[in-house]
Amino acid sequence: MGETGGRVIVSNRNHCLVADSSGTLHRCHPRSRRSPRPVCGDRVDWCADATAGWIDAIQPRRNLIERGDFRGRPRGLAANIDRIVVVIAPQPAPDALLIDRYIVLSEALDIPLLVWGHKQDLAPVTPTAAMRALETRCERQGIPLLMGSIMTDNGLARLRTATRHETLILVGQSGVGKSSITQALVPTASRRIGEISATSGQGRHTTSATTWFERPDGGALIDSPGVRTLRLDHLTTDAVDAAYPDIADATRHCRFNDCRHGHEPDCAVQQGLASGAIDADQWRRWQRLREETSG
Ligand SMILES: Nc1nc2c(ncn2[C@@H]2O[C@H](COP(=O)(O)OP(=O)(O)OP(=O)(O)O)[C@@H](O)[C@H]2O)c(=O)[nH]1
Ligand SMILES: [Mg+2]
Ligand SMILES: [Zn+2]
């Protein structure tokens, strides 16, 4: 029996779990070793008998989020996403370079991004300098930056409203609260995780697999495992420039086309750094990500 329109909700190395139209999970395998590997969020044609299931085809993707593996080769993480939600918290402290990596990814794929400042019950009364820099950055680049927590009533209401009917992927460091947010936005999530464990034979505490959940008010939410970094070797320097519009703009106003922005005369970047128009930390991160993506 063949079916269309299944949703891949988890994809492992050798199999994936497909939710059929009624939400029931089926463990499915690719037809062969060379078949393209489905990722979380894929729509697939699939079939199953009493003992096993197979993926016949992956339906065309609207987009595909990839990150570099340990050698920098792109690996699929999730597909068909409306918005990347970068979750940060006072604890563990935000990593500005990691946030920038997600901004670059969002520019490269043209997927809107939102920064969610979580665990506000733990936030200091006076925002840290890093937090203020992020606020300025988001404001200048039109990136929504919202805050809340699961400890306060309606703490996630702004996130829910700002992303109504969208398919979100929650990303960020381990322990910032992605799974807690998932649980708050999708009350059936823990039951679902139980079903996934039963079907795939794995238990879990911290999130170990990128997982799709239907949101009760429409749209979907993908919870992903926490990361330390996000390799972007497979992207181009254009995506980095798009994520740092102020710096990219300055580099176009240097006197020399091949300016290396060091000690050259009339370097617009050095002038911007001297006047404070360009943030020195941001400049170092731009250099680092340009280097990584130009190889
Ligand atoms: N104070 C406070 N703690 C929170 C809040 N939200 C979550 N936590 C706690 O933060 C810890 C980590 O939460 P998780 O949701 O597991 O974090 P995660 O981002 O899914 O972590 P990984 O799966 O490892 O990536 C847990 O102990 C939560 O109870 C919050 O709003 N305020
Ligand atoms: Mg988690
Ligand atoms: Zn220059």
Side-chain angles (χ1 to χ4, degrees):
M1 141 202 101
E3 296 201 28
T4 58
R7 177 77 71 181
V8 174
I9 68 153
V10 184
S11 179
N12 295 323
R13 256 160 72 87
N14 301 316
H15 71 271
C16 61
L17 298 183
V18 174
D20 64 23
S21 51
S22 69
T24 305
L25 300 184
H26 305 267
R27 187 178 159 125
C28 293
H29 300 266
R31 279 286 176 194
S32 82
R33 220 179 259 268
R34 279 180 303 175
S35 312
R37 206 177 68 94
V39 299
C40 180
D42 266 329
R43 282 229 166 248
V44 291
D45 303 336
W46 60 285
C47 64
D49 60 23
T51 56
W54 290 274
I55 302 292
D56 290 320
I58 299 171
Q59 294 180 11
R61 293 166 171 152
R62 212 145 44 78
N63 51 43
L64 171 65
I65 294 185
E66 294 176 301
R67 46 149 184 209
D69 68 6
F70 66 100
R71 285 191 194 149
R73 291 172 305 198
R75 287 288 146 103
L77 178 70
N80 304 317
I81 307 297
D82 294 321
R83 191 184 294 272
I84 298 170
V85 176
V86 180
V87 181
I88 58 171
Q91 284 298 329
D95 174 345
L97 181 62
L98 182 63
I99 298 170
D100 282 14
R101 289 174 183 277
Y102 284 112
I103 297 175
V104 172
L105 186 71
S106 124
E107 290 291 344
L109 297 175
D110 206 14
I111 301 176
L113 176 141
L114 180 153
V115 180
W116 176 253
H118 194 55
K119 303 195 193 181
Q120 286 311 294
D121 53 301
L122 302 180
V125 181
T126 318
T128 60
M131 204 54 209
R132 286 202 306 274
L134 180 65
E135 279 169 13
T136 309
R137 166 94 184 266
C138 288
E139 201 169 303
R140 284 170 88 152
Q141 291 181 224
I143 298 171
L145 169 63
L146 304 176
M147 317 254 189
S149 94
I150 55 162
M151 304 304 217
T152 43
D153 281 349
N154 277 332
L156 293 166
R158 300 179 69 200
L159 179 60
R160 194 183 277 117
T161 314
T163 62
R164 201 175 287 286
H165 307 309
E166 293 179 349
T167 293
L168 312 177
I169 183 166
L170 303 184
V171 295
Q173 290 158 273
S174 186
V176 290
K178 298 179 294 301
S179 297
S180 308
I181 296 167
T182 302
Q183 193 62 61
L185 293 186
V186 185
T188 54
S190 64
R191 197 180 72 214
R192 195 57 153 170
I193 291 167
E195 290 165 7
I196 294 167
S197 301
T199 316
S200 65
Q202 286 172 5
R204 53 178 59 100
H205 297 289
T206 58
T207 310
S208 61
T210 304
T211 309
W212 169 287
F213 302 92
E214 301 282 336
R215 296 170 65 179
D217 48 355
L221 185 155
I222 295 174
D223 188 13
S224 72
V227 297
R228 295 230 171 101
T229 188
L230 170 76
R231 285 190 70 163
L232 300 173
D233 313 41
H234 58 291
L235 300 184
T236 66
T237 52
D238 285 352
V240 178
D241 282 350
Y244 298 85
D246 297 351
I247 294 173
D249 187 55
T251 61
R252 286 188 281 269
H253 289 89
C254 299
R255 191 205 298 182
F256 300 110
N257 279 336
D258 60 349
C259 183
R260 299 183 63 85
H261 322 302
H263 300 289
E264 289 85 350
D266 296 332
C267 169
V269 172
Q270 289 301 331
Q271 285 165 2
L273 287 167
S275 74
I278 295 176
D279 178 85
D281 292 327
Q282 215 184 94
W283 165 240
R284 276 189 286 277
R285 299 199 296 271
W286 177 86
Q287 288 175 300
R288 169 137 184 207
L289 293 177
R290 283 278 295 206
E291 210 160 281
E292 193 172 313
T293 52
S294 62

